[in-house]
Amino acid sequence: DFALADLIRFVRSPVRAGFDALSTKAPIYADIRMVQVGIQKKGHGSAVDCLLDHGQEMAREKGITRTSAGMLALGEALNGSIVVIGNAPSCLLSLCEMYGQGIRPALVVGCPVGFVNAAESKEELRALDLPSITTEGTRGGTPVAVAAINEVITMFAEKS
């Protein structure tokens, strides 16, 4: 979809931030399994984990989405990590709130798709002092988020 070229935003040197994080084998956290599975495993030494594997009891207790609960449960473990969100605007909004509490991932690929809070969550991310790759508006999704992080990984591997 060539229209996406005009919608992708690179803020605060995200490629450099991704290279730096990958060079330290920082963990990569994906919002959902489809994103986790899509992230290439070659070319880097980082573990690729899914937010759905964290905080499930918190999701039930607080009545929040499982991806938001996973983000909250990881807390300070997110510092210095790479976060890839392709589907869950609520998760990206949680991460933006956590920024106010001192949580600082090295890179955020925030491309949630949809009409409910997708555009707003990405705008909020771009306003933070965090390296990010996002899409403007309601477009995005797993393919876009995975393609973005995989290209960062490919460039890192070719450079190394």
Side-chain angles (χ1 to χ4, degrees):
D1 183 354
F2 296 109
L4 279 171
D6 294 330
L7 300 176
I8 295 178
R9 302 290 178 260
F10 295 84
V11 176
R12 293 176 190 78
S13 303
V15 175
R16 166 65 32 220
F19 286 4
D20 291 346
L22 291 168
S23 71
T24 65
K25 299 180 181 173
I28 301 171
Y29 295 106
D31 62 338
I32 64 166
R33 297 252 184 263
M34 193 163 44
V35 171
Q36 179 187 25
V37 170
I39 296 172
Q40 63 191 32
K41 310 308 183 278
K42 293 182 179 180
H44 64 94
S46 296
V48 181
D49 196 4
C50 185
L51 296 175
L52 295 174
D53 294 328
H54 306 274
Q56 296 316 300
E57 191 169 307
M58 180 190 304
R60 284 187 294 278
E61 289 172 2
K62 292 188 173 189
I64 59 177
T65 65
R66 294 182 304 148
T67 55
S68 290
M71 188 74 71
L72 294 168
L74 283 167
E76 291 186 6
L78 296 168
N79 287 327
S81 72
I82 297 172
V83 177
V84 184
I85 300 172
N87 284 271
S90 61
C91 178
L92 185 52
L93 287 170
S94 292
L95 179 60
C96 291
E97 285 179 29
M98 294 169 75
Y99 177 87
Q101 299 159 4
I103 301 301
R104 302 290 187 274
L107 168 63
V108 179
V109 177
C111 300
V113 65
F115 295 105
V116 179
N117 288 326
E120 296 83 356
S121 66
K122 293 178 278 190
E123 287 175 22
E124 192 167 326
L125 173 60
R126 286 190 296 271
L128 301 177
D129 189 23
L130 286 175
S132 66
I133 301 171
T134 62
T135 51
E136 187 85 21
T138 58
R139 300 197 49 204
T142 294
V144 177
V146 168
I149 191 58
N150 282 348
E151 187 56 29
V152 171
I153 291 168
T154 297
M155 290 187 302
F156 172 78
E158 290 173 353
K159 171 182 146 332
S160 299

